[in-house]
Amino acid sequence: MSGPASSSPPAVSVHGLERAFKGGIKAVDGLDLEVREGEVYGFLGPNGAGKTTTVRILVTLLKPTAGEARVAGFDVVSQADAVRRNIGVALQEAAIDPLMTGRELLRMQGALHGMKGAQARSRAEELLDRVGLTDAGGRRVGQYSGGMRRRLDLAMALVHRPKVLFLDEPTTGLDPTSRSALWREVRSLNDDGTTVFLTTQYLEEAEQLADRVGIIAGGSLVAEGTPAELKAHVGEPTLHVDLAPESDVAAARVALSAVGPLVDCQDDARVAIRAARGKATVPLAIRALDEAGIAVESVEVESPTLDDVFAAVTGSTLEGATQGASADQAEVPA
Ligand SMILES: Nc1ncnc2c1ncn2[C@@H]1O[C@H](COP(=O)(O)OP(=O)(O)O)[C@@H](O)[C@H]1O
Ligand SMILES: [Mg+2]
């Protein structure tokens, strides 16, 4: 979030990255991106886009077939050990022993990172507390709910206080409550200075969490920017006016066209214009209609969503997309 010291390298930098698999599939195909220190970067794309393959390369589990990638300033191929010391990883299909308790797993993770017994024990307690699993710490993880498992995965990725955290679809399959709990956790980690690289197929998740979003399709980036920039790129907000029954629609169109360019509308009792100034257009529209003696039922301003962005750059919609135009509705008293 806040500006990094200018001397620090990007948390992640990727140039011309490729990964071909046998059979010729290029899961990653000429990827370029850069994540600044302290950012939450949302890597958004549908199933099969190349998200997991990219993450596996960045966390040194898979070698690229071309191009290069650096994490925390280190090359993922020639300096893999240094990369590993600086990162935490929660992968989609993490295999953990269901018979062990959350507390045992966290202590073991600490030991794997070279902590002494007492240190590993106190770190385990700290992390159980951090992700809200203190009470469940003594239970076998085989009995954990999906949300609890994801929170434990997160805690395990944090044991050695990584600078850069990789989360591969951290909330896929979770219910809304568990999802928001995990979002809170990611925000708080980021507030504490951790850079987060997060893959998702949920537009809402990218919108809620990410400072910047890269949209990946077919192994390369098709758009990148802050959620606001991406949406502004697709188009301006639209202002819709619902007219009172039996209003003079033609007169309403004339009056509103003085406020902004008319937009086609399916509905006969509706008139729409482009609203470059967003909500600030509402009073102007109401005054124009009022002066023309036209009764209005309601006015709303609809902004483009990340879904519109996705459709515009890929020509399709996201499977995991939640509908939900961000509409600012204003009821107008008759
Ligand atoms: N080990 C592999 N061997 C062959 N093809 C693979 C392998 N891993 C992934 N792929 C293919 O690469 C593409 C990208 O996969 P992946 O990176 O898992 O996408 P995502 O995580 O965005 O769903 C898919 O077409 C997938 O089938
Ligand atoms: Mg994946």
Side-chain angles (χ1 to χ4, degrees):
M1 298 247 189
S2 51
S6 54
S7 59
S8 52
V12 177
S13 71
V14 170
H15 296 289
L17 196 70
E18 287 188 18
R19 173 67 209 202
F21 287 112
K22 288 187 197 74
I25 298 174
K26 273 193 186 166
V28 178
D29 191 4
L31 185 68
D32 293 290
L33 62 84
E34 202 160 278
V35 179
R36 297 168 205 135
E37 201 180 276
E39 254 188 330
V40 177
Y41 188 86
F43 202 41
L44 174 72
N47 258 326
K51 302 182 298 294
T52 298
T53 306
T54 303
V55 169
R56 290 182 66 212
I57 293 171
L58 294 177
V59 304
T60 78
L61 291 175
L62 187 71
K63 286 203 167 67
T65 45
E68 62 160 25
R70 300 179 84 83
V71 174
F74 301 105
D75 186 271
V76 295
V77 179
S78 63
Q79 300 173 295
D81 285 346
V83 169
R84 282 187 212 123
R85 278 195 296 276
N86 282 282
I87 61 170
V89 189
L91 289 179
Q92 249 174 318
E93 71 304 347
I96 57 179
D97 183 346
L99 295 180
M100 287 181 74
T101 70
R103 182 170 280 116
E104 286 166 347
L105 279 161
L106 279 169
R107 288 177 181 173
M108 191 179 77
Q109 193 74 5
L112 286 176
H113 284 287
M115 293 178 184
K116 298 263 186 296
Q119 197 189 358
R121 281 196 296 277
S122 75
R123 184 70 181 141
E125 294 315 309
E126 243 171 69
L127 287 168
L128 286 171
D129 180 51
R130 150 138 238 170
V131 301
L133 289 176
T134 300
D135 292 342
R139 277 161 56 191
R140 292 176 173 183
V141 297
Q143 298 164 2
Y144 281 18
S145 67
M148 291 163 79
R149 267 296 305 270
R150 298 301 176 84
R151 282 185 278 142
L152 181 66
D153 288 344
L154 185 64
M156 287 178 55
L158 295 175
V159 163
H160 56 302
R161 298 188 173 83
K163 278 169 71 175
V164 189
L165 180 65
F166 292 88
L167 304 173
D168 194 13
E169 298 200 21
T171 68
T172 293
L174 294 189
D175 60 83
T177 312
S178 311
R179 180 171 291 170
S180 0
L182 211 108
W183 287 351
R184 269 197 302 281
E185 204 47 59
V186 171
R187 280 193 203 103
S188 116
L189 280 163
N190 180 245
D191 289 344
D192 294 346
T194 311
T195 305
V196 181
F197 186 102
L198 156 129
T199 81
T200 185
Q201 37 179 319
Y202 298 120
L203 293 154
E204 197 196 346
E205 183 153 283
E207 174 119 50
Q208 288 277 330
L209 282 182
D211 297 311
R212 282 191 311 134
V213 175
I215 298 181
I216 179 177
S220 60
L221 275 199
V222 290
E224 192 184 47
T226 64
E229 283 165 358
L230 288 171
K231 289 187 279 190
H233 185 71
V234 177
E236 291 167 346
T238 310
L239 177 135
H240 297 271
V241 176
D242 284 312
L243 301 172
E246 274 142 60
S247 299
D248 183 344
V249 179
R253 291 172 62 86
V254 171
L256 281 172
S257 64
V259 179
L262 287 168
V263 175
D264 280 346
C265 230
Q266 313 298 343
D267 187 335
D268 282 348
R270 263 196 152 190
V271 182
I273 55 171
R274 275 217 291 285
R277 295 164 62 193
K279 280 194 245 185
T281 315
V282 171
L284 302 177
I286 290 171
R287 196 178 316 137
L289 291 164
D290 198 39
E291 281 168 5
I294 295 160
V296 172
E297 208 149 79
S298 73
V299 178
E300 71 182 330
V301 176
E302 244 171 35
S303 301
T305 62
L306 274 185
D307 207 10
D308 300 325
V309 176
F310 191 79
V313 294
T314 68
S316 58
T317 55
L318 265 178
E319 204 182 329
T322 43
Q323 48 68 258
S326 63
D328 297 305
Q329 182 116 18
E331 289 297 327
V332 179

